[in-house]
Amino acid sequence: MSQQNKNITFAYWVPNVSGGLVVSNIEQRTDWSYDYNVRLAQAAEKNGFDYALTQIRFTAGYNAENQHESVSFSHGILAKTSKLKVIAAILPGPWKPVLAAKQLATIDHLTQGRIAINVVSGWFRGEFDAIGEAWPEHDQRYARSEEFIRALKGVWTQDNYSFDGKYYQFKDYTLSPKPVQKPHIEIFQGGSSRAARDMAARVSDWYFTNGNTPDELKKQIDDIRAKAQQNGHQVKIGVNAFIIARDTEEEAKTVLQEIIDKANIQAVHAFGDATREAGAATLEGEGNWAKSTFEDLVQYNDGFKTNLIGTPRQIAESIVELKAVGVDLILSGFLHFIEEVEYFGAKVLPLVRELEAQQQSVETAKSA
């Protein structure tokens, strides 16, 4: 079965940092506590979500005044669920490959193969400065991340493994036990720059991109997949989306406008400045958020741009359109997480599956 014929999958952003998923003073019935996140994870796996993605922050900023560490928090969620796979965000720099490989392999055994990793190359220099970590220039951060991933794969799959890179070196290391997942724990990464896409086309299992229109996403996806094919590699695509599903389109758009009207202006501008500084250092002179407006930056991974805002039927049709351009996974954010995840599972997901089944029937008939 081709990937295009498989059902699209769904992940959600774990609110393990305070402030929710929008930089706004609007009421958010979302909490960063462990108890809330356990209830959310249990609701998500009951409502059709396959993955959850924890966030990694070391310092306050952009509404995230409090932050739980990602790997231990991921394990805490896994301990209270039975099907959900949790993707732990990790920064090369604070983590070294062998430590991460050992840590994640242990969690993989404790959870019967339900941990994954999101390798975050870093965009917030102030955070690295605060914890005394080096801040390589943009493309070198991706070069370091690529070494990190290659080292992880080697440790997870080989005995007496040696690595001699610019950033990491070790010799004749054997990890035992190795992960439950074969050939190795799933590896995700993000980014939209040339360096990020090229890295994904060489080493990553999954590539997360910021929210965008189907046409713009198709350009990125076609580019990555063509390069991956040249490398004898395959990569799946996840796209960020802030979902506002309501009974009427007018209600959904009213919520969106209220989020923007109540934006934390100072925090949004500070975030925009930090991302522009990071983007200016790319080879092409622009990064993830180069074309983002103030309104886009209120949701810090351009989630509004994906436009999953409206009625359940409108959102389901848009999701199937994203699938048609090559998207494999929707990485979802919500305003009021638990209740909206439940609404999504009850109202939107059945329509997505219905539309996918119809499309598959059409394709089957054409090929008969």
Side-chain angles (χ1 to χ4, degrees):
M1 179 182 283
S2 71
Q3 184 64 33
Q4 193 56 37
N5 288 331
K6 291 179 181 176
N7 285 340
I8 198 163
T9 55
F10 295 92
Y12 72 91
W13 282 97
V14 175
N16 61 302
V17 305
S18 61
L21 264 290
V22 289
V23 187
S24 175
N25 297 318
I26 191 172
E27 180 201 10
Q28 298 187 64
R29 293 187 293 277
T30 291
D31 188 59
W32 59 282
S33 70
Y34 178 59
D35 288 346
Y36 180 90
N37 272 284
V38 167
R39 290 188 288 119
L40 171 57
Q42 292 170 345
E45 70 175 3
K46 285 177 185 172
N47 283 279
F49 285 79
D50 299 289
Y51 294 92
L53 173 66
T54 55
Q55 304 173 62
I56 182 60
R57 295 278 190 94
F58 280 92
T59 61
Y62 318 120
N63 269 23
E65 298 307 310
N66 297 285
Q67 322 89 32
H68 287 301
E69 188 276 319
S70 55
V71 178
S72 49
F73 205 80
S74 296
H75 188 207
I77 291 172
L78 287 163
K80 299 291 187 179
T81 52
S82 58
K83 297 181 294 183
L84 194 70
K85 182 174 272 193
V86 182
I87 311 160
I90 285 182
L91 279 163
W95 274 271
K96 301 297 183 280
V98 172
L99 170 62
K102 186 81 171 173
Q103 193 177 23
L104 293 167
T106 295
I107 297 174
D108 208 43
H109 278 266
L110 294 174
T111 62
Q112 295 76 51
R114 292 191 293 123
I115 189 72
I117 181 175
N118 182 37
V119 178
V120 182
S121 296
W123 56 267
F124 181 17
R125 178 170 187 163
E127 184 173 55
F128 276 63
D129 290 344
I131 61 174
E133 282 291 337
W135 181 252
E137 60 91 7
H138 180 275
D139 286 8
Q140 284 303 305
R141 294 200 297 279
Y142 282 97
R144 178 171 65 178
S145 291
E146 183 166 340
E147 282 194 13
F148 190 91
I149 290 171
R150 291 184 186 278
L152 282 179
K153 287 182 176 180
V155 169
W156 281 335
T157 60
Q158 299 177 43
D159 290 338
N160 304 113
Y161 181 69
S162 298
F163 191 87
D164 186 18
K166 177 178 178 180
Y167 293 100
Y168 305 108
Q169 305 85 32
F170 51 92
K171 190 172 183 182
D172 294 332
Y173 178 66
T174 297
L175 174 70
S176 184
K178 290 182 169 50
V180 172
Q181 296 178 69
K182 302 301 178 192
H184 54 71
I185 291 167
E186 280 188 293
I187 298 169
F188 292 71
Q189 70 153 102
S192 295
S193 66
R194 177 79 270 154
R197 281 179 278 166
D198 287 353
M199 173 180 144
R202 288 189 292 266
V203 295
S204 299
D205 301 316
W206 285 88
Y207 173 80
F208 282 135
T209 186
N210 275 9
N212 220 321
T213 64
D215 287 346
E216 289 301 313
L217 288 169
K218 187 175 188 303
K219 293 175 188 175
Q220 282 191 52
I221 293 166
D222 289 350
D223 172 69
I224 293 167
R225 291 213 162 118
K227 290 206 164 191
Q229 189 173 22
Q230 291 170 11
N231 297 330
H233 183 61
Q234 289 186 321
V235 60
K236 289 179 277 191
I237 308 295
V239 64
N240 192 69
F242 193 83
I243 299 176
I244 306 176
R246 298 294 187 271
D247 291 342
T248 68
E249 182 180 6
E250 181 182 12
E251 187 182 357
K253 289 187 173 178
T254 298
V255 172
L256 172 63
Q257 194 57 52
E258 186 183 358
I259 292 170
I260 293 168
D261 288 346
K262 294 181 177 178
N264 182 330
I265 294 171
Q266 183 178 357
V268 173
H269 281 310
F271 174 65
D273 291 344
T275 57
R276 276 187 287 274
E277 179 186 344
T282 65
L283 190 64
E284 61 274 34
E286 60 180 52
N288 264 6
W289 294 272
K291 298 180 175 68
S292 301
T293 64
F294 175 89
E295 289 78 9
D296 295 327
L297 292 170
V298 174
Q299 205 293 310
Y300 45 76
N301 286 90
D302 283 343
F304 299 152
K305 280 187 180 180
T306 313
N307 196 32
L308 298 189
I309 297 163
T311 66
R313 171 66 62 176
Q314 288 171 321
I315 291 171
E317 289 173 351
S318 294
I319 288 170
V320 172
E321 187 179 358
L322 291 169
K323 181 184 175 184
V325 300
V327 172
D328 301 293
L329 177 148
I330 306 292
L331 175 57
S332 314
F334 300 92
L335 188 63
H336 310 303
F337 263 84
I338 291 177
E339 58 212 73
E340 295 196 36
V341 158
E342 290 173 341
Y343 184 94
F344 183 89
K347 302 284 189 179
V348 181
L349 189 57
L351 292 174
V352 173
R353 299 301 183 225
E354 180 185 311
L355 291 169
E356 286 178 319
Q358 289 173 6
Q359 186 61 37
Q360 287 172 23
S361 295
V362 169
E363 289 172 3
T364 301
K366 282 180 180 177
S367 61

